[in-house]
Amino acid sequence: MSEFFKKAFQDMKESAKAQHKVDKANFAAAKAESKAQWEEAKAMGNPEKRKAMMQAERDAQIAQAQKRQAEAQARIDAAKENK
């Protein structure tokens, strides 16, 4: 009976250590995300940086729209060939 409890407590100890590692990793990730948000908010105060960030965002949206358009055209061409 005492072996059962020793094994059970050992398992709980290992589980607690593993959960602690997970918690530390999640805390570090949340801390990094918070710092990133702070730096982005700070950068928005600088008009030049804000313009550059917004332009990069628009460029990414344009690239995504062009990719979707090319995929749609490929589907159209494929449908025409199957007629």
Side-chain angles (χ1 to χ4, degrees), residues 23-78:
D23 291 342
K24 278 180 68 174
N26 283 333
F27 180 75
K31 187 176 174 183
E33 289 169 345
S34 178
K35 184 170 182 166
Q37 287 175 342
W38 168 252
E39 292 298 329
E40 287 172 345
K42 223 168 61 171
M44 288 302 223
N46 183 341
E48 293 302 315
K49 285 185 181 179
R50 190 179 86 240
K51 283 169 94 176
M53 286 174 58
M54 304 233 358
Q55 185 61 44
E57 210 173 291
R58 285 191 296 266
D59 291 343
Q61 289 175 349
I62 290 170
Q64 187 178 27
Q66 289 172 342
K67 180 183 172 197
R68 287 178 32 220
Q69 187 178 9
E71 289 171 354
Q73 188 61 46
R75 288 174 43 204
I76 291 168
D77 294 343

